[in-house]
Amino acid sequence: KKVSTRYREWKEIVMWAYSISLNYPSLASIVQIGNSYEGRPMLVLKIGNHKSAKKGVFLECGIHAREWISPAFCQWFATEAIRTYGKDKEMTRLLDSVIFHVLPVLNIDGYIWTWTNDRIWRKNRAPTPVDKCIGTDLNRNFNASWNGIGFDDEPCSEGYAGTAPESAPEIKALTAYIRENLQSLKSYISFHSFSQLLLYPYGYTEEVPPNHEKLEQVAKSAVKALSSLYNTTYTYGPIYTTIYPACGSSIDWSYDEGIKYSFGFELRDEGQYAFLLPEHDIEPTCKETMLAVRNIASYLIDRD
Ligand code: 0X9
Ligand code: ZN
């Protein structure tokens, strides 16, 4: 079977990433950005024409352990981008001007836990101040109104924000990498499931960001491209009003760091299978999402 037509465990994802970088050295390279709490290497695959590409787009997958379609999409994206470079005109144009920094699994320890112990685990696997409760919600641990509206300081709950902004080693490593690449990064996209939404900042306030009209226009166009394949319905809008208030999340942080095209996808489905999206849906989900991501990236290469 092809890559990402089934869900892959962490070991397979590592082997897949290394084989891509070895087989396509001019289009792909691996950077280790840090280590997970349990010490596993956090890998970013940089995909693009390293000679000509000046802009960067960051793709963050697997922040929530149980949302398996998210890492599957990052794998699909990287594989498909490389496969079609030099064949598909638009993909060639994209990779000639953009490096995609693909983080296939941000929450590695949690992801492994969903394979071995608890399929619906969400958080990382670091201890908390409460002995019997494990894990910080990594999408509440960013330094973006960290203890603002909806803040959860209960270590035993699913949305536990951690002891301080960036207290999770996974988030410390990721934010350091983003800061190092701020000059080139034009977009930051976070992939979750489920609900079929395309979100943009803010989640920590009802106020809309300065360029919200542009964000809305880009989101509208991306959703239109996505739906063109199988008629999948997506809703778009700010996190706060489209899903719920959420502080300390990745795309609010990346936006406030200056990455003005920060988006969050909530991929398929609408709740029927929810986090347990069947493998049969991986391919269509990835194909339609690819159209949306390409649409966003194309918009960006034609502007500063
Ligand atoms: O609560 C969250 O962190 C996200 N929903 S989820 O069910 N995937 O946990 C919503 C926050 C913003 N969403 C994205 N950035 N996609
Ligand atoms: Zn999520």
Side-chain angles (χ1 to χ4, degrees):
K1 273 190 170 174
K2 286 188 311 195
V3 163
S4 288
T5 52
R6 58 184 178 80
Y7 294 114
R8 306 204 149 216
E9 57 179 300
W10 171 242
K11 269 193 284 183
E12 289 184 280
I13 297 173
V14 174
M15 296 206 320
W16 162 85
Y18 277 99
S19 75
I20 284 195
S21 71
L22 289 169
N23 288 325
Y24 306 94
S26 62
L27 276 183
S29 60
I30 290 189
V31 187
Q32 184 182 339
I33 66 170
N35 292 92
S36 69
Y37 172 75
E38 291 173 350
R40 298 184 176 91
M42 297 172 64
L43 306 177
V44 167
L45 249 184
K46 291 167 66 175
I47 308 283
N49 183 337
H50 289 53
K51 289 215 181 79
S52 56
K54 299 272 187 305
K55 296 178 179 179
V57 170
F58 192 87
L59 306 184
E60 172 223 273
C61 291
I63 191 171
H64 287 142
R66 63 193 174 197
E67 300 167 9
W68 284 10
I69 188 62
S70 167
F73 175 72
C74 267
Q75 292 165 71
W76 180 277
F77 180 89
T79 303
E80 209 42 30
I82 285 171
R83 188 185 69 78
T84 57
Y85 180 77
K87 297 195 177 79
D88 177 281
K89 205 173 153 212
E90 176 70 2
M91 186 55 85
T92 308
R93 193 174 82 101
L94 276 180
L95 297 186
D96 279 338
S97 43
V98 177
I99 298 282
F100 291 89
H101 302 249
V102 181
L103 175 56
V105 185
L106 169 51
N107 180 7
I108 303 164
D109 303 342
Y111 186 68
I112 290 174
W113 195 252
T114 61
W115 280 77
T116 56
N117 290 75
D118 179 359
R119 176 63 185 83
I120 58 161
W121 189 259
R122 168 180 169 98
K123 303 190 282 181
N124 79 350
R125 291 293 306 166
T128 69
V130 172
D131 267 357
K132 63 178 186 348
C133 295
I134 301 288
T136 293
D137 181 351
L138 298 180
N139 205 32
R140 298 293 181 281
N141 193 238
F142 288 81
N143 194 7
S145 188
W146 174 75
N147 56 0
I149 187 160
F151 173 64
D152 188 337
D153 65 352
E154 165 50 53
C156 304
S157 73
E158 289 279 65
Y160 176 53
T163 51
E166 303 184 6
S167 58
E170 293 86 356
I171 302 311
K172 222 179 190 48
L174 169 60
T175 55
Y177 181 77
I178 299 297
R179 285 193 192 98
E180 278 168 28
N181 290 280
L182 261 190
Q183 290 294 340
S184 62
L185 288 174
K186 303 299 170 200
S187 177
Y188 184 109
I189 312 179
S190 172
F191 295 89
H192 293 247
S193 67
F194 57 94
S195 292
Q196 296 173 195
L197 307 171
L198 179 46
L199 304 166
Y200 47 84
Y202 285 115
Y204 68 66
T205 174
E206 198 170 5
E207 280 166 43
V208 290
N211 69 337
H212 79 273
E213 279 173 17
K214 290 248 171 61
L215 289 168
E216 186 176 336
Q217 177 199 328
V218 173
K220 182 179 183 181
S221 162
V223 160
K224 193 177 168 202
L226 188 153
S227 310
S228 69
L229 198 52
Y230 307 112
N231 260 311
T232 307
T233 31
Y234 259 69
T235 304
Y236 58 89
I239 297 170
Y240 194 101
T241 47
T242 309
I243 178 164
Y244 41 63
C247 53
S249 82
S250 64
I251 71 167
D252 280 1
W253 176 80
S254 58
Y255 184 87
D256 284 344
E257 285 292 300
I259 306 177
K260 294 304 174 199
Y261 292 89
S262 287
F263 292 98
F265 281 84
E266 298 286 344
L267 301 173
R268 291 195 198 181
D269 57 10
E270 290 182 294
Q272 185 186 9
Y273 293 100
F275 303 118
L276 310 182
L277 190 72
E279 293 193 322
H280 170 263
D281 289 337
I282 296 175
E283 187 166 322
T285 304
C286 291
K287 281 183 173 161
E288 67 188 6
T289 307
M290 189 84 189
L291 297 180
V293 173
R294 284 171 61 140
N295 188 273
I296 294 170
S298 300
Y299 172 87
L300 296 172
I301 62 176
D302 299 326
R303 46 184 37 249
D304 52 77

